[in-house]
Amino acid sequence: MTRDSARTSASANEIARVERAAACLSPIEREILILSAAHKLDCLEIARRLGLSRIRAERILARALCKFDRAVERQEQPWWRLW
């Protein structure tokens, strides 16, 4: 395996991990997480864009981050730690 193909494989694996973790989120959680992480919007901007209060957007983002983190962590656990 060449260095480039190994890098491509690692990138594909990382993308798959992120997609699996994002699948655990509700549509609104996923949207808010994307707006925050990818588009660098703060909670006030997200709230305005989605017609939510700032506090509601903050709570949904916090919940999304927790769920995403737990989903990624579950993927990293060795099978023997499930018991």
Side-chain angles (χ1 to χ4, degrees):
M1 183 179 273
T2 67
R3 196 185 260 178
D4 288 337
S5 64
R7 238 183 253 151
T8 301
S9 177
S11 295
N13 289 338
E14 189 64 23
I15 290 169
R17 278 174 22 107
V18 168
E19 287 175 345
R20 283 192 303 271
C24 296
L25 304 176
S26 71
I28 189 71
E29 290 168 339
R30 213 171 10 258
E31 184 171 7
I32 288 176
L33 186 58
I34 289 168
L35 289 171
S36 176
H39 298 283
K40 306 292 188 222
L41 299 180
D42 63 25
C43 285
L44 185 57
E45 293 173 87
I46 293 169
R48 286 182 182 148
R49 187 177 282 204
L50 300 178
L52 304 170
S53 70
R54 179 188 52 80
I55 291 173
R56 182 81 176 126
E58 287 174 355
R59 287 182 180 156
I60 294 171
L61 178 59
R63 187 175 63 227
L65 288 168
C66 287
K67 286 171 72 173
F68 187 85
D69 183 59
R70 274 185 264 136
V72 169
E73 188 176 289
R74 276 194 309 267
Q75 292 177 38
E76 293 175 351
Q77 278 187 337
W79 64 269
W80 63 86
R81 291 192 183 172
L82 298 176
W83 283 279

